[in-house]
Amino acid sequence: MRWTLVVAFTCAAAFAQQPRIDAISPPRGPIAGGAIVTISGANLAGTTVMLDRASVVPLSQTDAQLTLRMPAHANGYAIIGASNADGVAYARFFYVPPRLDELQPGEITTIAGIGDYGGEYGPAREAELRSPWGVAYGRDGLLYFTSASNSRVMRVRADGILEPFAGNGGIAGPHPPGLTPALDVQVDFPRSLAFDSHGNMIVPDSNFAFYIWRITPAGLAELIAGTGQNSHNVVDGVPAKGTAIGEPNYVAVDADDNIYFIDFTNARIRKIDRDGILSTVAGNGSYGFSGDGGPATSAQFNLAYNDIGGLAIDPDGNILLLDTSNQRIRRISKSTGVIETIAGPTFNGHQLDNIRAMTVAPNGDLYFGNASELYRRRTDGTIQLIPNGGHGFSEDGARLPAAPMSSFLGMTIDPHGDLVYVDADVRRIRKLDLTTLTISTLAGIGPRNMGEDGPAIAAAITGHDDDIDLLPSGEMVVADTDRIEKIDAAGRWVRFAGSGVFGASDDLPALQSNAMAPFSSAASPNGVVDYADGGWVARVDSDGIVRRTAGGDFQCKFSGDGGDARLAQLCQTWDALRDRDGNLLIADTNNNRVRRVDHQSGIITTIVGSGKPNGAEGYGAGTTCGDGGAATSACVNTPYGLAFDDGGNLLVSENQDRIRRIDRSGVISTFADAHCTKITWAFGHLFAVGGDFVFSVSRSGRITPLTRMGASRGFGGDGGLSRDAQIGFQFQSSGIAVDGHGNVFFNDGSNLRVRAIRYGAVLAPSGATVQATANGKVIRASVADDLAQPAEGVRVDFAVPASGASCTLSSPFAITDANGIATVTCTPNCLAGKYSVAATPLAAPVSAAVQFTNAGYPCRGRAVRH
């Protein structure tokens, strides 16, 4: 296994005495710690040495070298920094978890993923960007951008190194009244940013936080508006600081340092003046379209949801509003306060129905993106479409008009006057040279993933809702954001399906298909992999071609029963798998149904759920009903996961903390009261990932935690017993799988990892007892739980003497059946004597033995013919 390490340098031309790191040896070590690491470079004497921003004391330190003893650490990258007054240099050390086959039964480890690390402190163009959104240049000339899904603001240094600037990654952080290091505060899902004349950054803390932060060039953060409560009470003329506001999603700052933000909750644009006083500059409090030619405060604009919209300031100080749902850009006069439309809703007969980004050049030209179309509006009001090669991905060096372009998100103008934009399709930040019309990349590696084609434990998993399943080969498929990855037999993270770029989705080779957002992955014994992709279901056939099976118009409606499944309408398909006969079952989640596609005719029907109690997107509404009756008449509330037990009965996990069972006659009942998403059946138990723990459910409905349960969300425990391990918050599609040896694999959602419990499915329960009997050659070990009930699905290991009188076992272990009995045969050898055979339930402190007596007889030799 080869490992490479990227070392981050400071800019050599900036300061002669700034630290420089050239190499680190070794570049990796165990999570238990103890590795002695040598860091080589220059100007290291006297530097402050940090590990993940915490000061550490080197074992030795000279100008050219320092050594560290690495402490224990979770798997993934740790950042080593060396700083002095002239700058900081970084290196990355990789912590390796123990392999699954190195563990004792019941212990846990990580087999894929490095958490929310995406390449920070390394080259920006090799980083995995997490929802890049708003972009802007600071007064220092550096590029800053918001990383929405991991709640950070990043910057690209002059040497090309990607460096976090604000936000702690979404961890609940302090919101103090004064200045606090920006890297320690929670900046929740920031969609935009702007700079004032002093170089301070203004960034909205939105989604669930409802603050606005001001961050100094030195990286100190201060709250300037909001209390953390989403307020519907619009109060003007009061200090913004300490006053509750609605959700702020987009911000802008004018030349006089007035701050403007869209108050999404209250359908207004609000202003914080230089004295910190709040006022309303546009919007009457309700969404719609009205007001052009009149006062902006009486007008309506329309944002259907909080991700859309945008603000900018032109050179004359006028406010530009991206009125997305009205398909317009509107201008609010600085001098008169009058609002007008300056672009949209059409251009040359073409609807501007997806305007998501805009920016103003110093000369007043307005650039804006409508999906993958790029427009320029000149100061004289004329609008020009800048031709490109259509919607798609272009490698660096491609030039317009031939080069395709992606969907635009954030936009800004760089210090050289060129257009910088967020390539939303592949999560890159790119530059369009407005002179040569050449495309280049400033940050991000999409559509590739960080760590792809390398060890899975060093790969970046990008999705919280990843489902997993095992191929017949034993390899694992992982449905990850816009692709399906595979952990191959060598433990490498390789692409299985999905190109990662916009394009056609079916009737294509898997690696050329657009997988979009796979919510599930299910492998059949013939190697076919079915996956649910939001509003449709497809399969990767054994010939490597993706073919659509059901749905596909993305309308989030219900229709099609009795007809071709490919013409049916579905609404958020969170799971899909096949029954014993090859029919496809689909969790039509927001239609509150389970649907079945006949494998021969392709006809779709509903087999579970009446569509009640709630409609599309009605999370949590309504109740479960119908137990004891026909499944088609029952209320099935937001079904997320599907599985079959060993009797062919269907199990369905619901949003209402319940698992339902539909028997083969179509009668529905409650199997267990438990919160979970994806489920699987193995060794006589159902296995599931709950909100913050992994558990099993016996046939009788008894729940047994496999990881620590309760208020314990976090990450920890690799290399130790799984029952002591912490896992993160699980989202709507956290997958789980069990292999033939009883190893349990699951997606650790918010920790962005796949983890495994060795023999986790066949461990003896706590308080297990065992008794053993023999009848002739047959040995039966009977295992009971702490309630003296038969313990099904427990591995029992049998041990015989290695020499002397003994026997040959039919198997060294057996799995208990529904009666708690594990059975093997013992064929005696030819040596006379007494001996015992021990039966030990896996990981239990108890065992039982049976006694045998061999009657001696001559060992028969093998005849040899000469």
Side-chain angles (χ1 to χ4, degrees):
M1 181 183 296
R2 295 184 62 191
W3 291 82
T4 58
L5 178 76
V6 177
V7 179
F9 302 96
T10 53
C11 181
F15 296 98
Q17 298 303 311
Q18 63 185 7
R20 192 185 78 235
I21 294 176
D22 299 329
I24 177 171
S25 179
R28 63 187 180 102
I31 61 172
I36 305 297
V37 171
T38 300
I39 297 169
S40 304
N43 304 319
L44 299 175
T47 59
T48 298
V49 182
M50 299 162 290
L51 181 67
D52 290 340
R53 297 185 61 230
S55 295
V56 293
V57 178
L59 297 176
S60 64
Q61 186 171 15
T62 67
D63 203 49
Q65 190 177 89
L66 58 89
T67 58
L68 298 174
R69 183 186 300 275
M70 304 304 289
H73 191 283
N75 79 286
Y77 286 98
I79 305 303
I80 300 169
S83 66
N84 61 21
D86 293 322
V88 58
Y90 301 108
R92 302 187 297 198
F93 180 82
F94 190 79
Y95 277 95
V96 183
R99 296 196 318 267
L100 182 61
D101 61 6
E102 295 174 338
L103 300 181
Q104 295 299 309
E107 293 183 337
I108 190 171
T109 192
T110 294
I111 64 167
I114 52 175
D116 67 356
Y117 178 75
E120 306 93 286
Y121 306 100
R125 291 194 294 179
E126 298 176 13
E128 180 79 47
L129 305 188
R130 307 292 170 87
S131 301
W133 209 290
V135 287
Y137 279 84
R139 288 175 60 86
D140 54 9
L142 301 181
L143 172 65
Y144 293 77
F145 64 92
T146 62
S147 182
S149 65
N150 70 342
S151 297
R152 287 189 173 101
V153 178
M154 314 293 288
R155 71 177 172 190
V156 180
R157 301 191 331 182
D159 55 4
I161 297 302
L162 182 65
E163 187 175 51
F165 181 73
N168 61 11
I171 303 167
H175 293 88
L179 292 170
T180 302
L183 289 173
D184 293 333
V185 302
Q186 181 181 7
V187 182
D188 193 47
F189 209 86
R191 295 178 178 88
S192 70
L193 73 163
F195 287 92
D196 67 18
S197 63
H198 302 288
N200 299 306
M201 176 190 295
I202 310 300
V203 62
D205 188 336
S206 58
N207 217 30
F208 299 108
F210 318 111
Y211 293 107
I212 296 177
W213 292 95
R214 178 166 55 209
I215 302 170
T216 70
L220 298 176
E222 180 182 18
L223 289 173
I224 60 171
T227 63
Q229 302 299 315
N230 187 10
S231 175
H232 293 266
N233 184 23
V234 177
V235 180
D236 288 334
V238 299
K241 191 171 186 176
T243 298
I245 59 175
E247 180 182 346
N249 56 353
Y250 290 91
V251 295
V253 181
D254 68 17
D256 298 321
D257 288 341
N258 297 302
I259 298 166
Y260 301 88
F261 66 94
I262 294 177
D263 184 333
F264 174 78
T265 303
N266 297 298
R268 288 175 167 91
I269 301 173
R270 305 186 73 188
K271 172 183 173 181
I272 306 172
D273 69 18
R274 296 175 61 179
D275 297 321
I277 303 301
L278 273 171
S279 60
T280 296
V281 297
N284 66 7
S286 64
Y287 285 117
F289 176 73
S290 67
D292 270 3
T297 51
S298 300
Q300 292 174 301
F301 58 94
N302 194 13
L303 304 179
Y305 51 96
N306 55 2
D307 283 345
I308 60 178
L311 293 176
I313 308 296
D314 72 14
D316 297 323
N318 304 307
I319 303 169
L320 302 183
L321 166 66
L322 206 165
D323 190 354
T324 306
S325 296
N326 285 321
Q327 303 173 17
R328 288 168 164 85
I329 296 175
R330 301 170 80 182
R331 179 169 60 197
I332 302 158
S333 170
K334 177 182 179 180
S335 59
T336 67
V338 170
I339 190 170
E340 61 179 331
T341 294
I342 62 170
T346 62
F347 174 77
N348 286 348
H350 177 65
Q351 206 75 20
L352 300 179
D353 55 1
N354 196 12
I355 310 175
R356 295 293 304 275
M358 65 177 175
T359 190
V360 183
N363 67 355
D365 286 353
L366 169 67
Y367 292 86
F368 62 95
N370 178 56
S372 62
E373 300 168 342
L374 179 62
Y375 293 85
R376 174 169 55 202
R377 181 188 185 277
R378 298 188 182 276
T379 54
D380 61 6
T382 59
I383 297 177
Q384 170 197 9
L385 172 65
I386 301 175
N388 63 36
H391 195 167
F393 173 70
S394 296
E395 295 287 356
D396 286 356
R399 297 177 62 178
L400 304 185
M405 301 190 82
S406 78
S407 297
F408 294 98
L409 196 49
M411 274 187 185
T412 191
I413 301 294
D414 74 7
H416 304 290
D418 293 317
L419 182 70
V420 171
Y421 63 95
V422 174
D423 183 329
D425 288 350
V426 298
R427 303 181 301 278
R428 286 195 197 193
I429 297 175
R430 314 195 77 177
K431 181 176 78 171
L432 176 65
D433 186 308
L434 292 176
T435 301
T436 66
L437 298 182
T438 301
I439 296 171
S440 59
T441 295
L442 303 179
I445 59 170
R448 294 177 292 278
N449 272 6
M450 182 180 172
E452 208 164 52
D453 298 322
I457 56 170
I461 295 176
T462 61
H464 299 102
D465 285 315
D466 295 354
D467 191 17
I468 63 174
D469 203 7
L470 296 168
L471 294 166
S473 64
E475 298 172 312
M476 180 180 293
V477 285
V478 182
D480 184 28
T481 309
D482 58 1
R483 67 206 69 201
I484 299 175
E485 303 280 2
K486 182 175 76 171
I487 304 175
D488 69 13
R492 296 176 65 82
W493 187 255
V494 297
R495 190 81 61 95
F496 179 78
S499 64
V501 300
F502 179 86
S505 300
D506 55 345
D507 295 323
L508 286 170
L511 295 180
Q512 298 176 25
S513 171
N514 175 20
M516 295 187 68
F519 292 162
S520 73
S521 57
S524 297
N526 62 0
V528 171
V529 174
D530 294 285
Y531 64 94
D533 201 337
W536 63 304
V537 181
R539 67 183 186 272
V540 183
D541 280 331
S542 55
D543 60 2
I545 302 298
V546 172
R547 295 179 172 91
R548 182 166 54 91
T549 310
D553 72 352
F554 307 105
Q555 294 297 307
C556 204
K557 296 180 180 179
F558 173 77
S559 73
D561 270 2
D564 187 340
R566 292 170 298 179
L567 302 178
Q569 290 177 308
L570 308 168
C571 187
Q572 292 206 9
T573 50
W574 280 100
D575 206 1
L577 81 166
R578 294 188 181 269
D579 64 16
R580 293 173 175 176
D581 299 321
N583 304 303
L584 180 71
L585 274 68
I586 302 168
D588 193 355
T589 303
N590 279 348
N591 281 322
N592 300 297
R593 292 172 169 90
V594 178
R595 304 175 78 178
R596 175 185 178 274
V597 181
D598 185 87
H599 81 287
Q600 291 183 335
S601 68
I603 300 299
I604 190 170
T605 54
T606 294
I607 63 168
V608 182
S610 62
K612 299 176 181 179
N614 51 297
E617 297 289 350
Y619 297 116
T623 59
T624 295
C625 72
D627 278 0
T632 51
S633 300
C635 309
V636 180
N637 195 348
T638 320
Y640 282 132
L642 307 174
F644 287 100
D645 67 15
D646 46 16
N649 305 299
L650 177 64
L651 300 168
V652 181
S653 64
E654 292 185 349
N655 188 43
Q656 288 292 88
D657 294 348
R658 192 172 302 207
I659 301 169
R660 310 289 289 280
R661 178 182 181 270
I662 299 90
D663 67 21
R664 302 192 72 179
S665 67
V667 175
I668 192 169
S669 59
T670 294
F671 175 72
D673 292 323
H675 171 75
C676 56
T677 56
K678 293 300 175 60
I679 53 179
T680 194
W681 184 273
F683 299 101
H685 290 73
L686 179 138
F687 293 86
V689 185
D692 59 1
F693 71 108
V694 180
F695 61 92
S696 67
V697 187
S698 70
R699 291 185 197 273
S700 64
R702 186 178 186 186
I703 296 174
T704 301
L706 300 183
T707 62
R708 190 192 309 180
M709 64 180 297
S712 58
R713 292 173 184 167
F715 178 76
D718 276 359
L721 291 174
S722 70
R723 64 173 178 259
D724 298 325
Q726 290 176 295
I727 70 172
F729 178 74
Q730 306 304 303
F731 291 78
Q732 292 168 295
S733 184
S734 298
I736 188 164
V738 179
D739 70 11
H741 301 289
N743 299 307
V744 176
F745 304 88
F746 66 94
N747 171 45
D748 191 347
S750 59
N751 287 319
L752 296 171
R753 291 171 168 92
V754 177
R755 302 177 78 183
I757 304 169
R758 192 171 196 204
Y759 300 130
V762 291
L763 299 171
S766 177
T769 59
V770 60
Q771 294 179 334
T773 61
N775 184 4
K777 296 180 181 181
V778 178
I779 303 173
R780 290 183 176 88
S782 178
V783 182
D785 63 20
D786 58 341
L787 300 178
Q789 297 299 309
E792 182 181 7
V794 176
R795 172 172 160 162
V796 179
D797 291 314
F798 295 86
V800 300
S803 61
S806 186
C807 68
T808 301
L809 295 171
S810 58
S811 173
F813 68 89
I815 306 296
T816 59
D817 60 19
N819 297 312
I821 297 173
T823 304
V824 296
T825 59
C826 175
T827 302
N829 64 11
C830 54
L831 299 178
K834 295 182 178 180
Y835 59 96
S836 64
V837 178
T840 305
L842 189 63
V846 295
S847 63
V850 291
Q851 303 296 320
F852 287 92
T853 301
N854 286 357
Y857 56 88
C859 294
R860 301 183 65 179
R862 181 179 177 184
V864 179
R865 179 174 295 178
H866 295 280

Coordinates of all heavy atoms in Angstrom, one line a residue, residues 266-292:
N266 N -39.0 36.9 6.8 CA -39.9 38.0 6.8 C -40.1 38.7 5.4 O -40.7 39.7 5.3 CB -39.5 39.1 7.8 CG -39.6 38.5 9.2 OD1 -40.6 38.1 9.7 ND2 -38.4 38.4 9.9
A267 N -39.5 38.0 4.4 CA -39.6 38.5 3.0 C -39.3 40.0 2.8 O -40.0 40.8 2.2 CB -41.1 38.3 2.5
R268 N -38.1 40.3 3.4 CA -37.6 41.7 3.3 C -36.1 41.7 3.1 O -35.4 40.8 3.3 CB -37.9 42.4 4.6 CG -39.4 42.8 4.9 CD -39.6 43.4 6.3 NE -40.9 44.0 6.4 CZ -41.9 43.4 6.9 NH1 -41.8 42.1 7.2 NH2 -43.1 44.0 7.0
I269 N -35.7 42.9 2.6 CA -34.2 43.2 2.6 C -34.1 44.2 3.7 O -34.8 45.2 3.7 CB -33.8 43.8 1.3 CG1 -34.0 42.8 0.1 CG2 -32.3 44.1 1.4 CD1 -33.7 43.4 -1.2
R270 N -33.1 43.9 4.6 CA -32.9 44.8 5.7 C -31.5 45.4 5.7 O -30.6 44.8 5.1 CB -33.2 44.1 7.0 CG -34.7 43.5 7.0 CD -35.1 42.9 8.3 NE -35.3 43.9 9.3 CZ -35.6 43.7 10.6 NH1 -35.5 42.4 11.0 NH2 -35.8 44.6 11.4
K271 N -31.3 46.4 6.4 CA -30.1 47.2 6.4 C -29.6 47.4 7.8 O -30.4 47.6 8.7 CB -30.3 48.5 5.7 CG -29.2 49.5 5.8 CD -29.6 50.9 5.2 CE -28.5 51.9 5.4 NZ -29.0 53.2 4.8
I272 N -28.3 47.2 8.0 CA -27.6 47.6 9.3 C -26.7 48.7 8.9 O -25.7 48.5 8.2 CB -26.8 46.4 9.9 CG1 -27.7 45.2 10.1 CG2 -26.2 46.8 11.2 CD1 -27.0 43.9 10.5
D273 N -27.0 49.9 9.4 CA -26.2 51.1 9.0 C -24.9 51.1 9.7 O -24.6 50.2 10.6 CB -26.9 52.4 9.1 CG -27.3 52.8 10.5 OD1 -26.6 52.3 11.4 OD2 -28.1 53.7 10.7
R274 N -24.0 52.1 9.4 CA -22.7 52.2 10.0 C -22.8 52.3 11.6 O -21.8 52.0 12.3 CB -21.9 53.4 9.4 CG -21.7 53.2 8.0 CD -21.0 54.4 7.4 NE -19.7 54.7 8.0 CZ -18.9 55.7 7.6 NH1 -19.3 56.5 6.6 NH2 -17.8 55.9 8.2
D275 N -23.9 52.8 12.1 CA -24.1 52.9 13.5 C -24.7 51.6 14.1 O -25.0 51.6 15.3 CB -25.0 54.1 13.8 CG -24.3 55.4 13.4 OD1 -23.1 55.5 13.6 OD2 -25.0 56.3 12.9
G276 N -25.0 50.6 13.3 CA -25.5 49.4 13.8 C -27.0 49.4 13.9 O -27.6 48.5 14.6
I277 N -27.8 50.3 13.3 CA -29.2 50.4 13.4 C -29.9 49.7 12.3 O -29.5 49.8 11.1 CB -29.6 51.9 13.4 CG1 -28.9 52.6 14.6 CG2 -31.2 52.0 13.6 CD1 -29.2 52.0 16.0
L278 N -30.9 48.9 12.6 CA -31.7 48.1 11.7 C -32.8 49.0 11.0 O -33.4 49.8 11.6 CB -32.4 47.0 12.4 CG -31.7 45.7 12.6 CD1 -32.5 44.8 13.5 CD2 -31.5 45.0 11.3
S279 N -33.0 48.7 9.7 CA -34.1 49.3 9.0 C -34.5 48.3 7.8 O -33.7 47.4 7.5 CB -33.8 50.7 8.5 OG -32.7 50.6 7.6
T280 N -35.6 48.6 7.2 CA -36.1 47.8 6.1 C -35.9 48.6 4.8 O -36.4 49.8 4.8 CB -37.5 47.4 6.2 OG1 -37.6 46.5 7.4 CG2 -38.1 46.7 5.0
V281 N -35.3 48.1 3.8 CA -35.2 48.8 2.5 C -36.0 48.2 1.4 O -36.2 48.9 0.3 CB -33.7 48.9 2.1 CG1 -32.9 49.6 3.1 CG2 -33.1 47.5 1.9
A282 N -36.5 47.0 1.5 CA -37.3 46.4 0.5 C -38.2 45.3 1.1 O -37.8 44.6 2.0 CB -36.5 45.9 -0.7
G283 N -39.3 45.1 0.4 CA -40.2 44.0 0.8 C -41.3 44.4 1.8 O -41.1 45.2 2.7
N284 N -42.5 43.9 1.5 CA -43.6 44.3 2.4 C -44.0 43.2 3.4 O -45.0 43.3 4.1 CB -44.9 44.7 1.6 CG -45.4 43.6 0.8 OD1 -45.0 42.4 0.9 ND2 -46.4 43.9 -0.1
G285 N -43.2 42.1 3.4 CA -43.4 41.1 4.4 C -44.1 39.8 3.9 O -44.3 38.8 4.6
S286 N -44.5 39.8 2.6 CA -45.1 38.7 2.0 C -44.5 38.4 0.6 O -44.1 39.4 -0.1 CB -46.6 38.8 1.9 OG -47.0 39.9 1.0
Y287 N -44.3 37.2 0.3 CA -43.7 36.8 -1.0 C -44.7 36.9 -2.1 O -45.9 36.6 -2.0 CB -43.1 35.4 -1.0 CG -41.8 35.4 -0.2 CD1 -41.7 34.6 1.0 CD2 -40.7 36.1 -0.6 CE1 -40.5 34.6 1.7 CE2 -39.5 36.1 0.1 CZ -39.4 35.3 1.3 OH -38.2 35.3 1.9
G288 N -44.2 37.3 -3.3 CA -45.1 37.5 -4.5 C -44.3 38.3 -5.5 O -43.1 38.3 -5.5
F289 N -45.0 39.0 -6.4 CA -44.4 39.9 -7.3 C -45.3 41.1 -7.4 O -46.4 41.1 -7.8 CB -44.2 39.3 -8.7 CG -43.6 40.3 -9.6 CD1 -42.3 40.8 -9.5 CD2 -44.4 40.9 -10.6 CE1 -41.7 41.7 -10.3 CE2 -43.8 41.9 -11.4 CZ -42.5 42.3 -11.3
S290 N -44.7 42.3 -7.0 CA -45.4 43.6 -7.2 C -44.4 44.7 -6.9 O -43.3 44.4 -6.4 CB -46.6 43.7 -6.2 OG -46.1 43.8 -4.9
G291 N -44.8 45.9 -7.3 CA -44.1 47.1 -6.8 C -43.1 47.8 -7.8 O -42.6 48.8 -7.5
D292 N -42.8 47.2 -9.0 CA -41.9 47.8 -9.9 C -42.4 49.3 -10.2 O -43.6 49.5 -10.5 CB -41.8 47.1 -11.2 CG -40.6 46.0 -11.1 OD1 -40.0 45.9 -10.1 OD2 -40.4 45.4 -12.1

